[in-house]
Amino acid sequence: MSPPFGWWDKKAHRGTPVIVKMENPNWSISEISSPDDEDEYGIGAGEEFAAAGRGPRKGARVKNAKQITWVLLLKAHRAAGCLTFLASAAVGLASAVRRRVASGRTDSDTTSSSDEESPVLRSRFYSCIKAFLCVSVVLLCLEIAAYLKGWHLTAWEMQPLVLPSSFGVRGFLESLYAGWVSFRVEYVAPPLQFLANACVILFLVQSADRLILCLGCFWIRFKGIKPTPKGAIGTSKDLESGGEDYPMVLVQMPMCNEREVYQQSIAAVCNLDWPRSNILIQVLDDSDDPTTQTLIKEEVEKWQQNGARIMYRHRVIRDGYKAGNLKSAMNCSYVNDYEFVAIFDADFQPAPDFLKRTVPHFKDNEELGLVQARWSFVNKDENLLTRLQNINLCFHFEVEQQVNGVFINFFGFNGTAGVWRIKALEDAGGWLERTTVEDMDIAVRAHLKGWKFVYLNDVECQCELPECYEAYRKQQHRWHSGPMQLFRLCLPDIIRSKIGFWKKSNLIFLFFLLRKLILPFYSFTLFCIILPLTMFVPEAELPAWVVCYVPATMSFLNILPAPRSFPFIVPYLLFENTMSVTKFNAMISGLFQLGSAYEWVVTKKSGRSSEGDLISLMKKEPVQQRGASVPNFEAIAKEEPRQQKVPKKKHNRIYRKELALAFLLLTASARSLLSAQGIHFYFLLFQGISFLLVGLDLIGEQID
């Protein structure tokens, strides 16, 4: 007996046709019928087709076969589209590489301020890498020949090779390979394994330090710990007339040939919400370009006419770079009338309430010497290079500096976006030109004198990130050579200082050794030297957790302060290892006082936050600051076309060290295939590709 709802059941299972959605150039399948449908077996299908006048139907299997054919065709079309995309991308990359190589511009063509540096010192590190690469290529050829001949590659002592009695070519190769295996087991593998174990220990110590910093940051967020000022700022009436709640503040803006950014920075500083009578702005121009000097001077005169207390200073004798510039400005007699000094580099644009949110922390806190604000970046999404820099700096500010500021009241001054108590600067000995990291130098000396620092993570100051690899590379060289210079000079003072034992230990072992010396040392040595060597000396091993799992975990921790950058976690890991060659070279230069350790190159700016941005911002928020100097945006807009700069001709370059290491890592990855080391092969392959892209300058700003 058929069920009463059998008639409904027949109509309900008619088989669902294929729905094809055309999305040029690909196709997508929305729905196909299930093999469990009754139409697949022809139940009820004949009656429906007869009623429709289509003729009898043998079953739905023919229809499903057509559907499967369409599915296969559409998937083949999609695969062809993907292959076409990959092919076009490969062709575009190959053409870019061909143009880059044809241009012939290498990093050795870059002129720098250290012209006295010996060419031998400049090329020594590169020569070592080239020699290492040549030896690796020779060993790879020998290992491939041994592999094709069926000789054992790893456990040779279990199956010793028998030296042939003949002296032909084959016998010579067998003898050579047997001698190499014996030599590497007795003389190469033990020291290499010892060095690998030492680097792994340093790696684990540095990873533990990073984990503790992340736990400290989590605790700060969980408990809501935040520096709060002991006193409040004055009222709006005090802002107009000045008063005790508005102390005398000196604002210094050091700059050097930075024509792209001076206008917006001067406008932002002149718009600070502070009484005119209690603020003085010094534009400290060290430019050697007469045109740039004239433009900056005219900009200062224009703001003077608008009522701002701003002055222009230019040194005749430009010694000591930025430290010499700041030292010269602090020697002015009128500086004695001011209690605090705020410092902003040429590309920094503070918000109008910057001083209102930083200066109150000094009130009723005589031990406080520095209030540091956080950096934010207007061009962090400009290209892959700026995204990766943003990950690094977000961890530095939100985790490292915030934790050190909360728990030990000390961190390295960032050189800008900070407010110093002038008494603390004088007590520490003032600005010194002995290193290229004058900001870290003054911070360490002030800490040794007992001054405390406060870091404000919620007060941001906008600035720019370098968009081309050349500028970023030079910046990182200065940032990693300077601390080693400073460590050599400050170590005796740290030991003789009167601060506590734990503060001395923190300065020596954590601040300098672990984070400034050990980090670039093991990163370069472990992943760029030891790991490729272990492919040719398989008796020395690096476990998979050192190559993959721990670095991935540390990269995950580094990216937590910038969660939007999580898709870039793998490029970040590879790029950090790629930059280790520059950081290691800089660390060695600073530690042993080589010529490039004293090289100071001003980081190139692009002027992303232009005057047009400020004008549009002013139209959206036409708020006038009472008692403060207000920028004349209409005048700026009129003069903007006149002051446009004809851009200098720039070029992408080829970086020889990175290219040599790229071929070395790719050679090691090819050797790893002979031992079937999966994780090691993929790491070496992608790390080699990363070095290749950086060596060809394909990661940052691309210039036609």
Side-chain angles (χ1 to χ4, degrees):
M1 180 177 176
S2 62
F5 47 83
W7 62 273
W8 176 84
D9 188 56
K10 293 180 182 180
K11 295 183 179 180
H13 295 75
R14 295 186 176 182
T16 308
V18 176
I19 301 175
V20 179
K21 181 180 179 182
M22 298 181 62
E23 294 180 355
N24 192 30
N26 295 326
W27 303 72
S28 63
I29 308 300
S30 296
E31 187 179 0
I32 62 173
S33 59
S34 171
D36 296 333
D37 290 343
E38 292 178 349
D39 280 344
E40 186 175 357
Y41 303 98
I43 301 176
E47 294 86 349
E48 289 182 35
F49 276 75
R54 301 182 187 177
R57 178 185 174 189
K58 297 181 180 179
R61 189 172 300 275
V62 177
K63 180 180 178 182
N64 288 338
K66 291 182 179 179
Q67 292 176 358
I68 293 174
T69 303
W70 275 105
V71 169
L72 294 177
L73 289 175
L74 294 177
K75 287 186 175 182
H77 185 273
R78 175 176 292 181
C82 293
L83 291 176
T84 303
F85 171 76
L86 293 176
S88 61
V91 171
L93 179 62
S95 61
V97 172
R98 185 173 63 253
R99 291 195 303 269
R100 193 65 41 81
V101 174
S103 66
R105 297 181 181 273
T106 65
D107 50 348
S108 61
D109 301 329
T110 307
T111 58
S112 64
S113 59
S114 58
D115 297 332
E116 8 356 283
E117 182 179 357
S118 171
V120 177
L121 291 176
R122 183 181 293 275
S123 61
R124 184 175 297 170
F125 190 43
Y126 172 59
S127 300
C128 294
I129 297 176
K130 282 199 302 183
F132 189 23
L133 173 61
C134 294
V135 172
S136 300
V137 172
V138 172
L139 291 178
L140 177 62
C141 296
L142 184 61
E143 297 282 2
I144 292 177
Y147 181 80
L148 295 177
K149 294 295 182 181
W151 302 334
H152 210 284
L153 294 174
T154 55
W156 72 278
E157 63 276 7
M158 298 177 61
Q159 299 178 3
L161 294 171
V162 179
L163 297 180
S165 57
S166 61
F167 293 95
V169 176
R170 180 175 179 180
F172 173 76
L173 289 178
E174 292 179 359
S175 302
L176 182 63
Y177 182 73
W180 157 242
V181 172
S182 176
F183 176 78
R184 81 187 187 195
V185 169
E186 294 183 11
Y187 300 103
V188 180
L192 182 61
Q193 188 66 59
F194 175 79
L195 183 60
N197 294 337
C199 288
V200 168
I201 292 174
L202 296 178
F203 181 31
L204 294 178
V205 171
Q206 196 273 336
S207 301
D209 172 65
R210 188 142 299 194
L211 178 60
I212 293 173
L213 287 175
C214 291
L215 293 176
C217 182
F218 173 77
W219 182 258
I220 291 173
R221 286 196 172 189
F222 179 73
K223 290 293 185 179
I225 301 175
K226 179 181 176 182
T228 55
K230 296 182 179 180
I233 204 68
T235 62
S236 58
K237 294 182 179 180
D238 296 330
L239 180 61
E240 296 176 354
S241 60
E244 296 182 357
D245 290 332
Y246 290 94
M248 303 293 288
V249 177
L250 178 68
V251 179
Q252 295 180 334
M253 301 184 63
M255 56 183 64
C256 180
N257 296 326
E258 292 168 290
R259 189 190 301 189
E260 297 85 358
V261 294
Y262 75 92
Q263 284 185 327
Q264 59 262 35
S265 299
I266 292 177
V269 170
C270 289
N271 200 32
L272 286 172
D273 196 2
W274 206 254
R276 293 181 183 177
S277 59
N278 292 21
I279 188 173
L280 175 65
I281 303 169
Q282 289 180 316
V283 177
L284 311 177
D285 183 23
D286 255 8
S287 303
D288 56 4
D289 178 22
T291 305
T292 304
Q293 295 178 21
T294 303
L295 291 175
I296 297 176
K297 191 173 183 179
E298 290 178 355
E299 186 73 13
V300 170
E301 292 174 351
K302 181 178 64 178
W303 284 101
Q304 288 175 344
Q305 296 173 2
N306 292 338
R309 292 193 64 202
I310 184 172
M311 60 181 302
Y312 175 86
R313 281 181 54 86
H314 180 76
R315 293 192 299 164
V316 178
I317 303 176
R318 301 168 56 250
D319 292 334
Y321 303 115
K322 180 180 176 181
N325 197 0
L326 294 172
K327 182 178 180 180
S328 174
M330 292 299 294
N331 289 332
C332 298
S333 58
Y334 54 80
V335 174
N336 297 327
D337 299 331
Y338 295 85
E339 186 177 359
F340 305 103
V341 55
I343 302 174
F344 301 101
D345 282 350
D347 60 321
F348 279 73
Q349 303 145 37
D353 62 346
F354 181 88
L355 294 179
K356 283 187 172 182
R357 301 179 66 183
T358 54
V359 174
H361 288 268
F362 291 97
K363 191 173 183 179
D364 300 329
N365 192 358
E366 296 299 326
E367 296 181 344
L368 184 60
L370 168 67
V371 175
Q372 174 71 61
R374 178 178 176 170
W375 298 2
S376 61
F377 310 105
V378 296
N379 61 337
K380 61 183 179 181
D381 296 325
E382 185 63 28
N383 54 43
L384 179 59
L385 178 61
T386 58
R387 292 178 186 271
L388 299 179
Q389 292 179 69
N390 181 61
I391 297 173
N392 231 347
L393 291 173
C394 281
F395 182 87
H396 171 69
F397 290 121
E398 188 163 346
V399 178
E400 186 174 347
Q401 289 209 316
Q402 184 175 209
V403 171
N404 290 331
V406 168
F407 292 105
I408 61 177
N409 297 118
F410 169 74
F411 47 84
F413 175 47
N414 297 324
T416 179
V419 182
W420 276 95
R421 189 189 297 271
I422 295 181
K423 183 180 178 181
L425 288 177
E426 296 173 348
D427 186 37
W431 299 101
L432 299 180
E433 308 97 325
R434 57 182 182 173
T435 69
T436 57
V437 284
E438 74 293 328
D439 45 7
M440 186 182 295
D441 188 0
I442 190 66
V444 170
R445 287 185 283 118
H447 181 59
L448 295 179
K449 291 292 185 178
W451 293 97
K452 296 182 179 180
F453 302 164
V454 166
Y455 176 78
L456 303 179
N457 192 56
D458 58 340
V459 180
E460 298 184 358
C461 189
Q462 285 193 341
C463 63
E464 283 190 21
L465 291 167
E467 297 181 6
C468 67
Y469 178 70
E470 179 186 1
Y472 178 65
R473 187 169 178 256
K474 291 179 178 178
Q475 181 195 70
Q476 292 299 305
H477 187 279
R478 175 164 53 87
W479 285 4
H480 286 81
S481 65
M484 290 298 98
Q485 303 173 33
L486 183 61
F487 179 63
R488 289 169 54 98
L489 297 171
C490 282
L491 184 58
D493 297 332
I494 295 174
I495 296 175
R496 293 193 301 262
S497 65
K498 298 180 181 180
I499 61 175
F501 172 77
W502 292 111
K503 290 186 177 181
K504 290 183 181 180
S505 302
N506 173 71
L507 266 180
I508 296 175
F509 296 106
L510 291 181
F511 186 76
F512 278 113
L513 290 181
L514 183 60
R515 297 168 188 165
K516 302 297 187 297
L517 189 148
I518 291 178
L519 177 59
F521 171 77
Y522 86 75
S523 182
F524 172 75
T525 307
L526 186 62
F527 296 109
C528 300
I529 299 297
I530 295 178
L531 180 58
L533 268 178
T534 56
M535 298 299 102
F536 299 100
V537 186
E539 292 77 16
E541 297 180 352
L542 274 181
W545 57 269
V546 174
V547 179
C548 179
Y549 304 123
V550 176
T553 304
M554 291 301 102
S555 298
F556 177 77
L557 293 179
N558 285 1
I559 215 167
L560 285 180
R564 291 181 55 191
S565 303
F566 187 79
F568 301 95
I569 185 171
V570 174
Y572 170 75
L573 171 62
L574 298 175
F575 181 69
E576 281 301 294
N577 290 334
T578 305
M579 284 304 301
S580 66
V581 59
T582 298
K583 297 176 182 179
F584 179 82
N585 192 19
M587 183 266 293
I588 295 297
S589 300
L591 192 62
F592 297 102
Q593 301 294 295
L594 302 181
S596 60
Y598 297 96
E599 181 180 3
W600 179 290
V601 180
V602 178
T603 305
K604 295 179 181 179
K605 313 296 191 307
S606 58
R608 288 293 174 186
S609 49
S610 62
E611 295 295 344
D613 299 331
L614 289 176
I615 296 169
S616 61
L617 179 63
M618 191 63 183
K619 289 179 180 179
K620 294 179 181 179
E621 300 179 1
V623 180
Q624 303 262 335
Q625 304 294 335
R626 294 196 295 174
S629 55
V630 180
N632 187 351
F633 288 94
E634 296 181 359
I636 297 175
K638 293 178 181 178
E639 296 183 10
E640 187 176 7
R642 181 180 63 84
Q643 296 187 0
Q644 279 186 346
K645 174 193 172 186
V646 178
K648 295 181 181 180
K649 193 173 183 180
K650 299 185 292 184
H651 305 276
N652 291 105
R653 299 184 182 275
I654 296 175
Y655 298 96
R656 300 177 299 164
K657 293 185 184 71
E658 285 78 359
L659 278 184
L661 281 169
F663 293 123
L664 170 63
L665 292 169
L666 293 175
T667 302
S669 68
R671 168 61 182 84
S672 69
L673 288 176
L674 302 181
S675 303
Q677 300 187 21
I679 293 180
H680 296 71
F681 165 73
Y682 289 114
F683 183 87
L684 289 167
L685 176 64
F686 290 116
Q687 191 64 70
I689 293 174
S690 175
F691 268 102
L692 186 64
L693 295 177
V694 171
L696 294 172
D697 200 3
L698 296 172
I699 188 173
E701 179 186 17
Q702 300 301 303
I703 304 166
D704 294 333

